[in-house]
Structure formats: structure tokens, C-alpha cells
């Protein structure tokens, strides 16, 4: 067994689909566990997984509720999550991303699409889980009590750790790295989601809204320029 293998948990109450997905992921070299319900998934140590792939429509606890539970616990707040679901309406996608999912794939989907999305999310999130010997100047940014470190993947607000998914972290890091500049949605999409097949502009809006809520008094420094995009300004809006 290779030491660099990634562990994935597949959660779907359609057992056949769950088994087929697990089989194909194992064929790609991943270590895979299966759960046929959110309740069964919660019985696992979710902090041990590099990624959770799950459906939305399940039994008493839905996939959305499962993500909400995961994001509320420090041990699983940063575990990457990809929804694979038949819920294809835009409002469902926005809600899933708003809860902290890292990607959203609608059924029917091709196996190659799922594998590509998994590789993208794992590539994006793996650096925050690996040990880095030193922090280069570009690996940390700060504005008064708001501090971000790529070495730890952590955001600190006035001394308090704030957990946020990787895409939120990278957006805020980019805005802070070049303060007082407005970034268009297209720029942020190309930098934060470089390998995605299709990503709606609304995804940027959702992530920025979550960032503002999480960084407390510094949220008013994240400004919107209608028709242009977003920026982090020294003078608050």
C-alpha cells in the first residue's frame, strides 16, 4: 500500500451506487470506506478522511445536515466534502456550497468527471494538511488582528481561530494579499477554481458572504463594487 494514498468516505443510501463508486475509486488507488446513511457516516471518525463524497437525499439525516454537523465541529470543519446528488436546481447547489461543501456534482454524471473533481479538491486542500518546514513571506498575510497562514491553513481573528473551507480561505488570502484592489468574479474563479469544469459566478458571491460573516468586525473591509467584483479595503465600507 502506497503511503500517499488518500482516504475517501462515500455516503449514499442507494447501496448499489455507493458500492459502484467505491469500487471505481479503489481502482484509482484510493482507500475507500462506505456508509449507506448519514447516521452510519457519523459513526465513523470523519476527521480521518481526506474527502467525503455524499448524496443529499437520504434518510432521517440528509447530506446537507451531515455537512452542517461536520462544519460545526473543529475536528471535521476543514474535511473536504463533495456532493453527488440528483438535486440539480441552482438553489440546491447554492445552499450546499453555503453550508461549506467544496464542490457540487449533479446526477447523472460521468465517472471521469467525478474523478477529475476529486483530484482538484484533494490537490487544493492537501497542502494545508501537510507539514511545511518554513513559512515564506508569501505564506502569511495579516491586517491588524486578522491573520492567515497557508502553512497551517488557519485564519485567526483577534486571537481566535476561525475554521473555513479551503476556497473561502484562498479567496480571503488573495484579497488580503493585494489590499485596496478590486478583483472581478472572473479573476477569482480562474485563480481559486482553475481546474473546474463549470463554476457559476454565484459561487464567488456565496463564499464572500460566508467570509464576511466569519471574520467579525473585519467583514466590513470586504467590499462589493457593483458590476466589478470584490476587494479588501484598508478603509471599511
Amino acid at each position: 500500500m502506497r503511503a500517499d494514498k488518500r482516504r475517501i468516505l462515500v455516503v449514499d443510501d442507494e447501496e448499489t451506487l455507493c458500492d459502484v463508486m467505491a469500487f471505481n475509486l479503489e481502482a484509482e488507488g484510493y482507500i475507500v470506506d462506505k456508509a449507506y446513511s448519514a447516521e452510519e457516516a457519523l459513526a465513523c471518525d470523519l476527521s480521518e478522511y481526506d474527502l467525503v463524497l455524499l448524496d443529499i437525499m437520504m434518510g432521517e439525516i440528509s447530506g446537507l445536515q451531515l455537512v452542517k454537523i461536520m462544519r460545526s465541529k473543529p475536528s471535521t470543519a476543514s474535511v473536504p466534502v463533495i456532493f453527488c446528488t440528483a438535486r440539480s436546481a441552482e438553489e440546491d447547489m447554492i445552499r450546499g456550497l453555503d453550508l461549506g461543501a467544496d464542490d457540487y456534482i449533479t446526477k447523472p454524471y460521468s465517472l471521469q468527471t467525478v474523478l477529475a473533481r476529486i483530484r482538484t479538491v484533494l490537490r487544493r486542500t492537501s497542502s494545508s494538511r501537510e507539514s511545511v518546514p518554513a513559512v515564506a513571506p508569501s505564506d502569511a498575510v495579516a491586517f491588524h488582528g486578522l491573520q492567515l497562514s497557508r502553512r497551517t491553513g488557519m485564519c485567526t481573528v483577534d486571537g481566535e481561530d476561525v475554521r473555513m473551507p479551503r476556497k473561502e480561505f484562498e479567496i480571503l488570502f488573495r484579497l488580503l494579499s493585494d489590499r485596496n484592489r478590486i478583483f472581478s468574479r472572473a479573476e477569482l474563479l480562474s485563480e481559486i477554481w482553475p481546474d473546474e469544469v463549470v463554476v457559476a459566478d454565484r459561487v464567488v458571491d456565496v463564499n464572500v458572504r460566508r467570509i464576511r460573516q466569519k471574520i467579525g468586525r473585519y467583514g466590513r473591509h470586504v467590499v462589493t463594487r457593483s458590476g466589478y467584483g470584490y476587494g479588501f479595503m484598508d478603509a471599511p465600507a
Side-chain angles (χ1 to χ4, degrees), residues 2 21 33 37 40 42 48 78 86 91 118 163 165 202 223 233:
R2 300 200 315 271
M21 180 62 72
D33 291 325
S37 67
E40 189 174 338
L42 287 169
E48 294 296 318
S78 61
E91 56 266 29
I118 288 173
R163 297 276 183 171
R202 286 282 306 279
V223 303
M233 300 296 169

Side-chain angles (χ1 to χ4, degrees), residues 189-208:
L189 285 171
S190 67
E191 290 191 31
I192 310 303
W193 289 268
D195 302 312
E196 297 291 347
V197 179
V198 177
V199 179
D201 287 349
R202 286 282 306 279
V203 172
V204 176
D205 303 338
V206 168
N207 280 274
V208 170

Side-chain angles (χ1 to χ4, degrees), residues 34-53:
K34 297 175 290 185
Y36 298 132
S37 67
E39 292 86 345
E40 189 174 338
L42 287 169
C44 304
D45 184 354
L46 296 175
S47 66
E48 294 296 318
Y49 292 98
D50 295 288
L51 184 138
V52 176
L53 193 71

Side-chain angles (χ1 to χ4, degrees), residues 71-75 77-78 145-165 168-169 172 211 213-216 218:
R71 294 297 179 247
S72 70
K73 298 179 179 180
S75 63
S78 61
L146 176 62
Q147 301 178 344
L148 283 81
S149 167
R150 276 204 171 118
R151 179 178 180 271
T152 61
M154 288 299 299
C155 169
T156 303
V157 176
D158 295 331
E160 297 291 330
D161 290 341
V162 175
R163 297 276 183 171
M164 56 178 60
E168 292 178 25
F169 179 93
L172 182 56
I211 289 168
Q213 293 170 345
K214 291 180 179 180
I215 62 176
Y218 300 104

Side-chain angles (χ1 to χ4, degrees), residues 87-101:
R87 301 279 288 270
S88 59
E90 184 182 19
E91 56 266 29
D92 292 321
M93 180 188 73
I94 296 300
R95 186 183 178 195
L97 294 170
D98 202 25
L99 285 173

Side-chain angles (χ1 to χ4, degrees), residues 28-190:
E28 291 293 316
Y30 297 109
I31 300 172
V32 185
D33 291 325
K34 297 175 290 185
Y36 298 132
S37 67
E39 292 86 345
E40 189 174 338
L42 287 169
C44 304
D45 184 354
L46 296 175
S47 66
E48 294 296 318
Y49 292 98
D50 295 288
L51 184 138
V52 176
L53 193 71
L54 77 155
D55 190 18
I56 287 181
M57 297 180 291
M58 293 187 286
E60 293 186 11
I61 300 178
S62 69
L64 293 171
Q65 291 172 306
L66 176 57
V67 170
K68 190 173 182 179
I69 293 169
M70 290 177 63
R71 294 297 179 247
S72 70
K73 298 179 179 180
S75 63
T76 56
S78 61
V79 174
V81 172
I82 297 178
F83 279 123
C84 285
T85 176
R87 301 279 288 270
S88 59
E90 184 182 19
E91 56 266 29
D92 292 321
M93 180 188 73
I94 296 300
R95 186 183 178 195
L97 294 170
D98 202 25
L99 285 173
D102 293 82
D103 206 344
Y104 193 103
I105 307 172
T106 58
K107 300 175 182 178
Y109 47 72
S110 71
L111 176 63
Q112 292 307 312
T113 295
V114 176
L115 292 174
R117 298 289 188 93
I118 288 173
R119 287 193 296 270
T120 296
V121 170
L122 288 177
R123 185 163 58 246
R124 185 191 307 132
T125 58
S126 61
S127 60
S128 66
R129 293 173 166 240
E130 295 171 355
S131 175
V132 179
V135 179
S138 61
D139 286 339
V141 292
F143 178 79
H144 300 300
L146 176 62
Q147 301 178 344
L148 283 81
S149 167
R150 276 204 171 118
R151 179 178 180 271
T152 61
M154 288 299 299
C155 169
T156 303
V157 176
D158 295 331
E160 297 291 330
D161 290 341
V162 175
R163 297 276 183 171
M164 56 178 60
R166 187 68 175 179
K167 289 193 287 294
E168 292 178 25
F169 179 93
E170 288 297 339
I171 289 173
L172 182 56
F173 196 100
R174 189 67 187 95
L175 298 182
L176 270 176
S177 296
D178 201 349
R179 299 201 307 271
N180 302 308
R181 173 191 165 187
I182 296 298
F183 291 85
S184 69
R185 289 180 179 84
E187 284 181 286
L188 292 172
L189 285 171
S190 67

